[in-house]
Amino acid sequence: DAPLSNLQLHSNLAMQLSSIESARYPHLVQSMVAAIMPTAVYAQHRDAGLGLPTPRATGDRPLRIAWVTGDLAPHPVSRFLLGFFEASEGRRQHQHLLVSVTNHGSESSAHLFAPFQGLEIVDVTAHQEHHRVTAIRALQADLAIDLSGWTGGHYMAGFMARLAPVQVNYLGYHATAGVPQMDFWLGGSALFPEPGKEGQDRKST
């Protein structure tokens, strides 16, 4: 009943309820989002730096795509991304930014991504709270992809404040984030076996 009393505990509960497809999940996530929105901390995130991102004309330029993760370490998300960038090396047509929001110290796997062409590694962990919003918005990404959902080390507050004109929930979480600022929820037939029944986000791909 009081998500802000221990947000990490509620995030863990959200992940557990979503994994068992509990009917309690939508209410819990809505309660978390409703509790965060009126806070001064959320206002600091929302109003940080350059202000709300706005779409920029693309023309023929490559898109700037920010992959935002708290799991740049020996973790399934990091291993999946490594495979993706290895498989697409030499064929990527856009600019990619791998943004780390959690300091993993000596266990960081950032060095494994350093050799890839067209991939910039951005570490915002030295910034505190809403200053990370400023740093990520300054990257001027056209698209920000959340790879954490409500799992440990997530940066949902930043996505709620909006980090890029288009935001996508993907990969590191198996359910809708339940956040209205997420524009798309990306998944395949295993996640969306019936087209059109993609959950609570406004759109789905």
Side-chain angles (χ1 to χ4, degrees):
D1 294 332
L4 296 181
S5 63
N6 191 329
L7 188 56
Q8 185 59 60
L9 177 65
H10 281 75
S11 296
N12 291 344
L13 178 58
M15 184 172 67
Q16 176 64 19
L17 291 179
S18 63
S19 70
I20 62 174
E21 300 182 10
S22 170
R24 294 173 53 200
Y25 177 70
H27 174 73
L28 176 70
V29 172
Q30 290 167 8
S31 297
M32 291 167 61
V33 172
I36 293 169
M37 297 285 278
T39 64
V41 171
Y42 170 73
Q44 287 180 318
H45 280 72
R46 182 194 61 216
D47 300 333
L50 303 174
L52 290 174
T54 56
R56 297 179 298 131
T58 54
D60 294 327
R61 70 170 176 83
L63 293 175
R64 289 177 63 80
I65 302 172
W67 304 76
V68 182
T69 180
D71 298 314
L72 199 56
H75 186 278
V77 167
S78 184
R79 290 195 292 271
F80 182 94
L81 283 180
L82 189 63
F84 169 79
F85 284 112
E86 284 179 341
S88 60
E89 182 74 338
R91 298 187 292 114
R92 292 186 295 275
Q93 300 179 25
H94 301 287
Q95 298 171 347
H96 296 265
L97 308 133
L98 183 56
V99 182
S100 177
V101 296
T102 301
N103 185 351
H104 292 284
S106 61
E107 292 190 346
S108 172
S109 58
H111 64 284
L112 298 176
F113 294 85
F116 297 127
Q117 298 295 314
L119 174 63
E120 179 183 350
I121 301 169
V122 181
D123 187 339
V124 299
T125 60
H127 299 280
Q128 296 297 316
E129 294 295 333
H130 63 282
H131 296 297
R132 296 182 183 185
V133 172
T134 302
I136 297 173
R137 285 178 178 172
L139 299 173
Q140 293 192 301
D142 299 291
L143 172 67
I145 303 174
D146 170 43
L147 301 174
S148 297
W150 291 106
T151 63
H154 68 77
Y155 195 42
M156 198 57 69
F159 279 93
M160 289 172 65
R162 191 163 287 276
L163 301 173
V166 177
Q167 301 191 142
V168 178
N169 175 208
Y170 176 56
L171 186 62
Y173 196 62
H174 48 261
T176 170
V179 172
Q181 291 83 3
M182 287 294 182
D183 302 297
F184 295 91
W185 179 15
L186 181 63
S189 59
L191 188 59
F192 305 135
E194 297 181 62
K197 297 185 180 297
E198 64 276 0
Q200 299 173 16
D201 287 347
R202 290 177 294 165
K203 306 166 192 161
S204 175
T205 297

